[in-house]
Amino acid sequence: MLLSHLNKDLIEAGCDEAGRGCLAGAVFAAAVILPKGFICEGLNDSKQLSEKQREALRPIIEREALAWAIGTVSPEEIDKINILNASFLAMHRAIDQLTILPEHLLIDGNRFKKYRNIPHTTVIKGDGKYLSIAAASILAKTYRDEYMVELHQKHPFYGWNKNKGYPTKIHRKGIKDFGRTPYHRLSFTLLQDTQQLSLNF
């Protein structure tokens, strides 16, 4: 059973990201502040849920949360600052947009770059331990999936509607056959060999 809060007396925001291990597309993050005593049947780590389950939970989270927001960092920014810093920045951008200022941050993972003067706690596999992080994981995942499906309409050769930019065989084959797109992360190993890639517009 997931816990509602780490610090029950504080306004606590859960934060998580999606798309960190992808070869293409922006990294997304969400920040969610849930009300005290929030209960939502089926809410769990987004990776443990089906797409249908995530889509069903998203409007509940958006409706019931005291505040929520999405932050993104582009592939170009990822290449400049690296994916770890980009994940932190995406979370910061999500927190920036919250309509309620949190007094404590619950961060999925084991590292985080301090946000202003707000204390934070990192929680390994936190999306399977705390409701607010689980909610953030669902929002980050569903919003990023929608974004990748939209990109698939422009660049249908990479299977982004299915793999969402992760390094699957179909995605790698698309890169090999059609080259890279402006949405590929050039700081990542796009192919397993050193073959030069053309830019596919």
Side-chain angles (χ1 to χ4, degrees):
M1 183 176 177
L2 275 63
L3 301 172
S4 59
H5 292 83
L6 177 63
N7 297 284
K8 293 184 179 181
D9 297 329
L10 299 178
I11 299 172
E12 201 166 65
C15 301
D16 200 4
E17 53 75 28
R20 186 166 162 176
C22 296
L23 301 181
V27 63
F28 277 55
V32 179
I33 299 174
L34 295 175
K36 307 296 183 185
F38 176 79
I39 297 173
C40 182
E41 186 177 350
L43 182 57
N44 200 352
D45 169 11
S46 65
K47 296 184 290 297
Q48 304 299 320
L49 302 173
S50 67
E51 182 176 356
K52 186 176 181 180
Q53 289 172 319
R54 290 192 296 267
E55 292 295 340
L57 287 166
R58 178 168 131 181
I60 298 173
I61 296 165
E62 292 177 345
R63 182 178 68 246
E64 299 295 333
L66 298 178
W68 64 272
I70 303 293
T72 67
V73 175
S74 71
E76 293 84 2
E77 290 176 296
I78 292 170
D79 288 335
K80 288 178 182 177
I81 65 176
N82 77 46
I83 187 59
L84 180 62
N85 286 320
S87 298
F88 298 157
L89 180 57
M91 290 186 194
H92 283 207
R93 287 176 174 172
I95 300 164
D96 280 342
Q97 298 176 71
L98 289 173
T99 55
I100 298 174
L101 183 66
E103 298 169 325
H104 183 258
L105 303 171
L106 269 181
I107 309 296
D108 184 59
N110 63 353
R111 298 175 69 183
F112 185 63
K113 187 172 288 186
K114 186 174 177 65
Y115 178 86
R116 299 184 184 176
N117 63 342
I118 299 176
H120 67 268
T121 301
T122 56
V123 185
I124 297 172
K125 296 185 179 178
D127 44 8
K129 297 175 181 176
Y130 288 95
L131 288 170
S132 61
I133 302 180
S137 77
I138 289 169
L139 295 191
K141 171 67 174 166
T142 54
Y143 274 90
R144 189 179 189 281
D145 283 357
E146 283 184 0
Y147 156 83
M148 291 306 298
V149 170
E150 289 177 7
L151 291 187
H152 172 77
Q153 307 306 317
K154 298 180 182 178
H155 301 279
F157 307 115
Y158 307 92
W160 290 343
N161 59 328
K162 300 292 185 182
N163 61 51
K164 306 303 190 293
Y166 284 92
T168 62
K169 288 183 179 179
I170 291 175
H171 191 177
R172 298 267 197 198
K173 186 176 188 304
I175 296 170
K176 187 173 183 180
D177 293 347
F178 298 98
R180 60 182 173 86
T181 71
Y183 301 99
H184 278 102
R185 302 172 183 177
L186 303 186
S187 54
F188 282 51
T189 303
L190 300 181
L191 291 177
Q192 302 295 356
D193 55 32
T194 57
Q195 175 183 347
Q196 287 210 336
L197 298 173
S198 60
L199 183 62
N200 175 18
F201 288 99

